[in-house]
Amino acid sequence: MKKKEYDFDTEVKNYLTQKGYARRRQLIKDLMEIHKNELGYSLKSINRKLDKLKNQGMIIRLEYSDFGKLGIEDTDKNASYLTLKNISKITEHLDKILERLDSEEPMKQKMALKEIARYEQTYVLTPVQLDLVVAQFDKNIDVGTIDAELADKLLLLLDRYILKKDIEPTNKAKTIDLLVKLLDKYPVPVSTHVNLRTHIIYLLGHYGHKAVIERFMEDARTLQDPFSVENVYNTEYTANLIEEHREELYKLEEELAIEGKDNASQFVSNIRTEALINLGLYKNPYIKGKKEDDSW
């Protein structure tokens, strides 16, 4: 095999491994954009190479009947989606692993999440499969069988898929409901799992849920060292929410200052300014934990 053919095959394999599946025309568009003006990446050439990979059995075409099972929201029955052939066997394995999340034994659930993570670089869960994960853990919260370690592993999985891979469960309402329940269960930082609450707030911030603002205000009022959680709220995921609630947060900042709670007031001020920076609306950074230069 020529090197250019090998590079093309590897690139397509990596692309589909990362996404799980892709519409053919989008894959072609992305390849042409990456290799603009390069030989061998014209529309005709890419189509020919993709057909060759399909004939070799490396990739397969998904049928319309497969769309629902994979969570593909496309009503075009003629749409052409591609995936890797060897993914089907892994799909069967992980479907069985997902069933183990239904166990009443927490260790089986933790092992199942560990197995899903093991295949992260080879297989991508579909939105429908993420729905199964969310539904199961929502039930666990309701019956009280979820502990901090299990919640931490679950939230890491959701963070990777929703925030990093941009793959959402189809049932967003159920997902948000689970996250709100988790924040109610873990309202303050957990010393043994330091990123647990952070993941919840990032994800709820991504969904624009006001529970983030309520928790932020409570942190400002109650934490002895609010600056220790600045990184939780100083993020692209919460910036819009922080700025949208400018009025009530200004009132909180003012209220804390009047009460002589300077650190708490400055914490609120810092986060509000950082939100503007993250949104590209403020260009003068300040030193965290110290008073801003307001000498204007």
Side-chain angles (χ1 to χ4, degrees), residues 118-156:
R118 176 176 285 125
Y119 282 93
E120 184 185 4
Q121 296 182 22
T122 307
Y123 180 84
V124 179
L125 292 180
T126 68
V128 171
Q129 288 173 321
L130 286 175
D131 279 344
L132 294 175
V133 174
V134 168
Q136 183 52 48
F137 281 100
D138 189 63
K139 185 176 76 172
N140 288 349
I141 282 282
D142 289 341
V143 298
T145 58
I146 188 169
D147 59 22
E149 184 180 354
L150 193 53
D152 191 52
K153 290 182 183 299
L154 164 68
L155 288 161
L156 182 58

mmCIF file of all heavy atoms in Angstrom, residues 118-156:
data_model
loop_
_atom_site.group_PDB
_atom_site.id
_atom_site.type_symbol
_atom_site.label_atom_id
_atom_site.label_comp_id
_atom_site.label_asym_id
_atom_site.label_seq_id
_atom_site.Cartn_x
_atom_site.Cartn_y
_atom_site.Cartn_z
ATOM 1 N N ARG A 118 -12.504 2.169 29.233
ATOM 2 C CA ARG A 118 -11.406 1.438 28.591
ATOM 3 C C ARG A 118 -11.493 1.519 27.062
ATOM 4 O O ARG A 118 -10.484 1.574 26.365
ATOM 5 C CB ARG A 118 -11.429 -0.023 29.041
ATOM 6 C CG ARG A 118 -10.383 -0.902 28.344
ATOM 7 C CD ARG A 118 -10.395 -2.313 28.899
ATOM 8 N NE ARG A 118 -9.763 -2.362 30.206
ATOM 9 C CZ ARG A 118 -10.326 -2.835 31.310
ATOM 10 N NH1 ARG A 118 -11.569 -3.297 31.264
ATOM 11 N NH2 ARG A 118 -9.675 -2.855 32.446
ATOM 12 N N TYR A 119 -12.706 1.544 26.549
ATOM 13 C CA TYR A 119 -12.897 1.552 25.096
ATOM 14 C C TYR A 119 -13.120 2.963 24.541
ATOM 15 O O TYR A 119 -13.523 3.127 23.385
ATOM 16 C CB TYR A 119 -14.085 0.658 24.715
ATOM 17 C CG TYR A 119 -13.740 -0.807 24.745
ATOM 18 C CD1 TYR A 119 -13.962 -1.561 25.885
ATOM 19 C CD2 TYR A 119 -13.152 -1.435 23.646
ATOM 20 C CE1 TYR A 119 -13.624 -2.910 25.941
ATOM 21 C CE2 TYR A 119 -12.811 -2.773 23.673
ATOM 22 C CZ TYR A 119 -13.054 -3.509 24.821
ATOM 23 O OH TYR A 119 -12.708 -4.833 24.855
ATOM 24 N N GLU A 120 -12.840 3.965 25.360
ATOM 25 C CA GLU A 120 -13.129 5.334 24.952
ATOM 26 C C GLU A 120 -12.428 5.741 23.659
ATOM 27 O O GLU A 120 -12.983 6.481 22.845
ATOM 28 C CB GLU A 120 -12.740 6.299 26.075
ATOM 29 C CG GLU A 120 -13.095 7.740 25.765
ATOM 30 C CD GLU A 120 -12.599 8.704 26.835
ATOM 31 O OE1 GLU A 120 -11.917 8.257 27.778
ATOM 32 O OE2 GLU A 120 -12.880 9.898 26.722
ATOM 33 N N GLN A 121 -11.212 5.261 23.451
ATOM 34 C CA GLN A 121 -10.467 5.645 22.257
ATOM 35 C C GLN A 121 -10.797 4.775 21.048
ATOM 36 O O GLN A 121 -10.314 5.019 19.949
ATOM 37 C CB GLN A 121 -8.964 5.585 22.547
ATOM 38 C CG GLN A 121 -8.512 6.584 23.599
ATOM 39 C CD GLN A 121 -7.024 6.540 23.848
ATOM 40 O OE1 GLN A 121 -6.254 6.077 23.013
ATOM 41 N NE2 GLN A 121 -6.600 7.009 25.013
ATOM 42 N N THR A 122 -11.625 3.769 21.265
ATOM 43 C CA THR A 122 -11.975 2.840 20.192
ATOM 44 C C THR A 122 -13.439 2.918 19.827
ATOM 45 O O THR A 122 -13.820 2.701 18.685
ATOM 46 C CB THR A 122 -11.653 1.387 20.627
ATOM 47 O OG1 THR A 122 -10.305 1.333 21.057
ATOM 48 C CG2 THR A 122 -11.873 0.404 19.494
ATOM 49 N N TYR A 123 -14.258 3.255 20.812
ATOM 50 C CA TYR A 123 -15.708 3.207 20.611
ATOM 51 C C TYR A 123 -16.358 4.421 21.262
ATOM 52 O O TYR A 123 -15.968 4.836 22.352
ATOM 53 C CB TYR A 123 -16.276 1.928 21.229
ATOM 54 C CG TYR A 123 -17.774 1.799 21.069
ATOM 55 C CD1 TYR A 123 -18.319 1.281 19.898
ATOM 56 C CD2 TYR A 123 -18.634 2.206 22.086
ATOM 57 C CE1 TYR A 123 -19.691 1.180 19.751
ATOM 58 C CE2 TYR A 123 -20.010 2.106 21.944
ATOM 59 C CZ TYR A 123 -20.531 1.586 20.770
ATOM 60 O OH TYR A 123 -21.890 1.490 20.607
ATOM 61 N N VAL A 124 -17.353 4.961 20.601
ATOM 62 C CA VAL A 124 -18.070 6.120 21.115
ATOM 63 C C VAL A 124 -19.504 5.709 21.441
ATOM 64 O O VAL A 124 -20.208 5.187 20.574
ATOM 65 C CB VAL A 124 -18.081 7.267 20.082
ATOM 66 C CG1 VAL A 124 -18.854 8.458 20.617
ATOM 67 C CG2 VAL A 124 -16.663 7.679 19.727
ATOM 68 N N LEU A 125 -19.928 5.926 22.683
ATOM 69 C CA LEU A 125 -21.312 5.643 23.035
ATOM 70 C C LEU A 125 -22.249 6.523 22.211
ATOM 71 O O LEU A 125 -21.957 7.684 21.949
ATOM 72 C CB LEU A 125 -21.556 5.914 24.522
ATOM 73 C CG LEU A 125 -20.884 4.989 25.541
ATOM 74 C CD1 LEU A 125 -21.252 5.441 26.958
ATOM 75 C CD2 LEU A 125 -21.269 3.538 25.333
ATOM 76 N N THR A 126 -23.382 5.968 21.838
ATOM 77 C CA THR A 126 -24.369 6.740 21.087
ATOM 78 C C THR A 126 -25.234 7.538 22.059
ATOM 79 O O THR A 126 -25.281 7.242 23.261
ATOM 80 C CB THR A 126 -25.276 5.806 20.271
ATOM 81 O OG1 THR A 126 -26.095 5.037 21.186
ATOM 82 C CG2 THR A 126 -24.461 4.866 19.406
ATOM 83 N N PRO A 127 -25.936 8.560 21.572
ATOM 84 C CA PRO A 127 -26.850 9.300 22.446
ATOM 85 C C PRO A 127 -27.875 8.403 23.137
ATOM 86 O O PRO A 127 -28.232 8.629 24.290
ATOM 87 C CB PRO A 127 -27.517 10.283 21.475
ATOM 88 C CG PRO A 127 -26.465 10.541 20.436
ATOM 89 C CD PRO A 127 -25.816 9.189 20.236
ATOM 90 N N VAL A 128 -28.346 7.372 22.430
ATOM 91 C CA VAL A 128 -29.319 6.446 23.024
ATOM 92 C C VAL A 128 -28.674 5.653 24.160
ATOM 93 O O VAL A 128 -29.296 5.433 25.210
ATOM 94 C CB VAL A 128 -29.888 5.495 21.945
ATOM 95 C CG1 VAL A 128 -30.721 4.396 22.587
ATOM 96 C CG2 VAL A 128 -30.722 6.269 20.939
ATOM 97 N N GLN A 129 -27.428 5.228 23.979
ATOM 98 C CA GLN A 129 -26.731 4.511 25.038
ATOM 99 C C GLN A 129 -26.484 5.428 26.245
ATOM 100 O O GLN A 129 -26.577 4.997 27.394
ATOM 101 C CB GLN A 129 -25.414 3.941 24.521
ATOM 102 C CG GLN A 129 -25.594 2.756 23.586
ATOM 103 C CD GLN A 129 -24.290 2.308 22.961
ATOM 104 O OE1 GLN A 129 -23.447 3.125 22.600
ATOM 105 N NE2 GLN A 129 -24.114 1.001 22.812
ATOM 106 N N LEU A 130 -26.187 6.691 25.988
ATOM 107 C CA LEU A 130 -26.034 7.653 27.088
ATOM 108 C C LEU A 130 -27.348 7.833 27.837
ATOM 109 O O LEU A 130 -27.353 8.019 29.059
ATOM 110 C CB LEU A 130 -25.547 8.999 26.547
ATOM 111 C CG LEU A 130 -24.081 9.065 26.109
ATOM 112 C CD1 LEU A 130 -23.787 10.419 25.485
ATOM 113 C CD2 LEU A 130 -23.128 8.791 27.262
ATOM 114 N N ASP A 131 -28.472 7.752 27.123
ATOM 115 C CA ASP A 131 -29.778 7.806 27.782
ATOM 116 C C ASP A 131 -29.925 6.671 28.792
ATOM 117 O O ASP A 131 -30.473 6.870 29.888
ATOM 118 C CB ASP A 131 -30.902 7.695 26.746
ATOM 119 C CG ASP A 131 -31.202 9.005 26.048
ATOM 120 O OD1 ASP A 131 -30.773 10.060 26.548
ATOM 121 O OD2 ASP A 131 -31.872 8.977 25.002
ATOM 122 N N LEU A 132 -29.449 5.485 28.416
ATOM 123 C CA LEU A 132 -29.535 4.328 29.310
ATOM 124 C C LEU A 132 -28.715 4.566 30.572
ATOM 125 O O LEU A 132 -29.144 4.236 31.681
ATOM 126 C CB LEU A 132 -29.035 3.067 28.601
ATOM 127 C CG LEU A 132 -29.876 2.568 27.424
ATOM 128 C CD1 LEU A 132 -29.192 1.397 26.737
ATOM 129 C CD2 LEU A 132 -31.260 2.143 27.899
ATOM 130 N N VAL A 133 -27.525 5.146 30.395
ATOM 131 C CA VAL A 133 -26.661 5.445 31.536
ATOM 132 C C VAL A 133 -27.355 6.439 32.468
ATOM 133 O O VAL A 133 -27.424 6.236 33.690
ATOM 134 C CB VAL A 133 -25.307 6.021 31.067
ATOM 135 C CG1 VAL A 133 -24.474 6.460 32.259
ATOM 136 C CG2 VAL A 133 -24.537 4.990 30.240
ATOM 137 N N VAL A 134 -27.883 7.515 31.899
ATOM 138 C CA VAL A 134 -28.546 8.552 32.688
ATOM 139 C C VAL A 134 -29.761 7.988 33.415
ATOM 140 O O VAL A 134 -29.956 8.229 34.614
ATOM 141 C CB VAL A 134 -28.966 9.730 31.787
ATOM 142 C CG1 VAL A 134 -29.915 10.671 32.525
ATOM 143 C CG2 VAL A 134 -27.735 10.489 31.310
ATOM 144 N N ALA A 135 -30.593 7.215 32.702
ATOM 145 C CA ALA A 135 -31.812 6.668 33.300
ATOM 146 C C ALA A 135 -31.490 5.766 34.480
ATOM 147 O O ALA A 135 -32.163 5.809 35.522
ATOM 148 C CB ALA A 135 -32.616 5.907 32.251
ATOM 149 N N GLN A 136 -30.454 4.944 34.331
ATOM 150 C CA GLN A 136 -30.090 4.029 35.403
ATOM 151 C C GLN A 136 -29.611 4.768 36.645
ATOM 152 O O GLN A 136 -30.013 4.467 37.767
ATOM 153 C CB GLN A 136 -28.997 3.057 34.927
ATOM 154 C CG GLN A 136 -28.602 2.020 35.977
ATOM 155 C CD GLN A 136 -29.792 1.273 36.537
ATOM 156 O OE1 GLN A 136 -30.646 0.802 35.785
ATOM 157 N NE2 GLN A 136 -29.871 1.185 37.853
ATOM 158 N N PHE A 137 -28.770 5.769 36.450
ATOM 159 C CA PHE A 137 -28.245 6.492 37.599
ATOM 160 C C PHE A 137 -29.282 7.434 38.212
ATOM 161 O O PHE A 137 -29.221 7.730 39.406
ATOM 162 C CB PHE A 137 -26.956 7.219 37.231
ATOM 163 C CG PHE A 137 -25.781 6.295 37.206
ATOM 164 C CD1 PHE A 137 -25.301 5.786 36.011
ATOM 165 C CD2 PHE A 137 -25.188 5.884 38.380
ATOM 166 C CE1 PHE A 137 -24.237 4.902 35.984
ATOM 167 C CE2 PHE A 137 -24.122 4.996 38.366
ATOM 168 C CZ PHE A 137 -23.636 4.503 37.172
ATOM 169 N N ASP A 138 -30.240 7.864 37.402
ATOM 170 C CA ASP A 138 -31.341 8.643 37.954
ATOM 171 C C ASP A 138 -32.131 7.767 38.926
ATOM 172 O O ASP A 138 -32.535 8.217 40.005
ATOM 173 C CB ASP A 138 -32.252 9.137 36.821
ATOM 174 C CG ASP A 138 -33.293 10.129 37.309
ATOM 175 O OD1 ASP A 138 -32.903 11.204 37.777
ATOM 176 O OD2 ASP A 138 -34.492 9.810 37.233
ATOM 177 N N LYS A 139 -32.314 6.509 38.554
ATOM 178 C CA LYS A 139 -32.995 5.562 39.440
ATOM 179 C C LYS A 139 -32.168 5.313 40.701
ATOM 180 O O LYS A 139 -32.712 5.246 41.806
ATOM 181 C CB LYS A 139 -33.239 4.237 38.699
ATOM 182 C CG LYS A 139 -34.049 3.226 39.507
ATOM 183 C CD LYS A 139 -34.339 1.984 38.687
ATOM 184 C CE LYS A 139 -33.123 1.102 38.583
ATOM 185 N NZ LYS A 139 -33.420 -0.204 37.944
ATOM 186 N N ASN A 140 -30.852 5.212 40.540
ATOM 187 C CA ASN A 140 -29.971 4.987 41.688
ATOM 188 C C ASN A 140 -30.065 6.123 42.701
ATOM 189 O O ASN A 140 -30.028 5.904 43.904
ATOM 190 C CB ASN A 140 -28.509 4.848 41.229
ATOM 191 C CG ASN A 140 -28.258 3.544 40.507
ATOM 192 O OD1 ASN A 140 -29.098 2.645 40.505
ATOM 193 N ND2 ASN A 140 -27.105 3.430 39.875
ATOM 194 N N ILE A 141 -30.153 7.357 42.192
ATOM 195 C CA ILE A 141 -30.278 8.514 43.079
ATOM 196 C C ILE A 141 -31.577 8.411 43.875
ATOM 197 O O ILE A 141 -31.622 8.627 45.087
ATOM 198 C CB ILE A 141 -30.262 9.824 42.270
ATOM 199 C CG1 ILE A 141 -28.839 10.180 41.851
ATOM 200 C CG2 ILE A 141 -30.854 10.964 43.067
ATOM 201 C CD1 ILE A 141 -27.992 10.798 42.926
ATOM 202 N N ASP A 142 -32.663 8.056 43.173
ATOM 203 C CA ASP A 142 -33.976 8.000 43.819
ATOM 204 C C ASP A 142 -34.038 6.948 44.924
ATOM 205 O O ASP A 142 -34.713 7.146 45.934
ATOM 206 C CB ASP A 142 -35.067 7.725 42.774
ATOM 207 C CG ASP A 142 -35.309 8.918 41.858
ATOM 208 O OD1 ASP A 142 -34.919 10.040 42.238
ATOM 209 O OD2 ASP A 142 -35.876 8.730 40.765
ATOM 210 N N VAL A 143 -33.326 5.828 44.735
ATOM 211 C CA VAL A 143 -33.375 4.758 45.748
ATOM 212 C C VAL A 143 -32.204 4.842 46.719
ATOM 213 O O VAL A 143 -32.079 4.034 47.634
ATOM 214 C CB VAL A 143 -33.420 3.356 45.081
ATOM 215 C CG1 VAL A 143 -34.666 3.211 44.237
ATOM 216 C CG2 VAL A 143 -32.167 3.091 44.250
ATOM 217 N N GLY A 144 -31.321 5.831 46.487
ATOM 218 C CA GLY A 144 -30.225 6.070 47.424
ATOM 219 C C GLY A 144 -29.098 5.069 47.369
ATOM 220 O O GLY A 144 -28.439 4.806 48.377
ATOM 221 N N THR A 145 -28.825 4.491 46.186
ATOM 222 C CA THR A 145 -27.759 3.487 46.087
ATOM 223 C C THR A 145 -26.534 4.004 45.337
ATOM 224 O O THR A 145 -25.748 3.218 44.818
ATOM 225 C CB THR A 145 -28.277 2.215 45.379
ATOM 226 O OG1 THR A 145 -28.758 2.577 44.067
ATOM 227 C CG2 THR A 145 -29.386 1.553 46.167
ATOM 228 N N ILE A 146 -26.361 5.306 45.279
ATOM 229 C CA ILE A 146 -25.193 5.850 44.597
ATOM 230 C C ILE A 146 -24.278 6.500 45.640
ATOM 231 O O ILE A 146 -24.738 7.245 46.504
ATOM 232 C CB ILE A 146 -25.595 6.878 43.509
ATOM 233 C CG1 ILE A 146 -24.386 7.291 42.662
ATOM 234 C CG2 ILE A 146 -26.289 8.081 44.103
ATOM 235 C CD1 ILE A 146 -24.752 8.082 41.423
ATOM 236 N N ASP A 147 -22.988 6.164 45.584
ATOM 237 C CA ASP A 147 -22.032 6.766 46.510
ATOM 238 C C ASP A 147 -21.130 7.737 45.753
ATOM 239 O O ASP A 147 -21.236 7.886 44.538
ATOM 240 C CB ASP A 147 -21.212 5.696 47.241
ATOM 241 C CG ASP A 147 -20.416 4.804 46.295
ATOM 242 O OD1 ASP A 147 -20.146 5.230 45.146
ATOM 243 O OD2 ASP A 147 -20.050 3.684 46.688
ATOM 244 N N ALA A 148 -20.227 8.394 46.491
ATOM 245 C CA ALA A 148 -19.396 9.431 45.884
ATOM 246 C C ALA A 148 -18.501 8.880 44.781
ATOM 247 O O ALA A 148 -18.308 9.522 43.742
ATOM 248 C CB ALA A 148 -18.550 10.117 46.956
ATOM 249 N N GLU A 149 -17.951 7.689 44.981
ATOM 250 C CA GLU A 149 -17.063 7.116 43.967
ATOM 251 C C GLU A 149 -17.819 6.807 42.681
ATOM 252 O O GLU A 149 -17.347 7.083 41.576
ATOM 253 C CB GLU A 149 -16.403 5.843 44.494
ATOM 254 C CG GLU A 149 -15.393 5.258 43.518
ATOM 255 C CD GLU A 149 -14.726 3.989 44.028
ATOM 256 O OE1 GLU A 149 -14.957 3.611 45.193
ATOM 257 O OE2 GLU A 149 -13.980 3.370 43.245
ATOM 258 N N LEU A 150 -19.007 6.241 42.831
ATOM 259 C CA LEU A 150 -19.832 5.919 41.666
ATOM 260 C C LEU A 150 -20.271 7.193 40.953
ATOM 261 O O LEU A 150 -20.218 7.287 39.713
ATOM 262 C CB LEU A 150 -21.042 5.102 42.110
ATOM 263 C CG LEU A 150 -21.872 4.398 41.027
ATOM 264 C CD1 LEU A 150 -20.994 3.536 40.134
ATOM 265 C CD2 LEU A 150 -22.970 3.567 41.663
ATOM 266 N N ALA A 151 -20.688 8.191 41.726
ATOM 267 C CA ALA A 151 -21.099 9.467 41.136
ATOM 268 C C ALA A 151 -19.942 10.124 40.399
ATOM 269 O O ALA A 151 -20.114 10.685 39.313
ATOM 270 C CB ALA A 151 -21.621 10.395 42.234
ATOM 271 N N ASP A 152 -18.748 10.036 40.971
ATOM 272 C CA ASP A 152 -17.565 10.637 40.355
ATOM 273 C C ASP A 152 -17.268 10.002 39.003
ATOM 274 O O ASP A 152 -16.980 10.697 38.021
ATOM 275 C CB ASP A 152 -16.371 10.471 41.299
ATOM 276 C CG ASP A 152 -15.164 11.294 40.867
ATOM 277 O OD1 ASP A 152 -15.318 12.513 40.646
ATOM 278 O OD2 ASP A 152 -14.068 10.718 40.752
ATOM 279 N N LYS A 153 -17.347 8.670 38.923
ATOM 280 C CA LYS A 153 -17.086 7.959 37.665
ATOM 281 C C LYS A 153 -18.151 8.297 36.629
ATOM 282 O O LYS A 153 -17.866 8.480 35.440
ATOM 283 C CB LYS A 153 -17.040 6.450 37.906
ATOM 284 C CG LYS A 153 -15.828 5.972 38.695
ATOM 285 C CD LYS A 153 -15.823 4.467 38.848
ATOM 286 C CE LYS A 153 -14.664 3.992 39.700
ATOM 287 N NZ LYS A 153 -13.349 4.334 39.120
ATOM 288 N N LEU A 154 -19.397 8.370 37.070
ATOM 289 C CA LEU A 154 -20.489 8.725 36.168
ATOM 290 C C LEU A 154 -20.285 10.125 35.597
ATOM 291 O O LEU A 154 -20.408 10.346 34.387
ATOM 292 C CB LEU A 154 -21.819 8.666 36.917
ATOM 293 C CG LEU A 154 -23.001 9.370 36.233
ATOM 294 C CD1 LEU A 154 -23.398 8.620 34.969
ATOM 295 C CD2 LEU A 154 -24.179 9.499 37.180
ATOM 296 N N LEU A 155 -19.963 11.087 36.475
ATOM 297 C CA LEU A 155 -19.820 12.475 36.041
ATOM 298 C C LEU A 155 -18.626 12.662 35.112
ATOM 299 O O LEU A 155 -18.664 13.475 34.190
ATOM 300 C CB LEU A 155 -19.704 13.385 37.260
ATOM 301 C CG LEU A 155 -21.024 13.537 38.023
ATOM 302 C CD1 LEU A 155 -20.797 14.032 39.439
ATOM 303 C CD2 LEU A 155 -21.969 14.479 37.276
ATOM 304 N N LEU A 156 -17.569 11.887 35.346
ATOM 305 C CA LEU A 156 -16.415 11.947 34.448
ATOM 306 C C LEU A 156 -16.820 11.482 33.053
ATOM 307 O O LEU A 156 -16.431 12.075 32.041
ATOM 308 C CB LEU A 156 -15.281 11.076 34.991
ATOM 309 C CG LEU A 156 -13.979 11.076 34.187
ATOM 310 C CD1 LEU A 156 -13.421 12.491 34.069
ATOM 311 C CD2 LEU A 156 -12.945 10.159 34.835
#
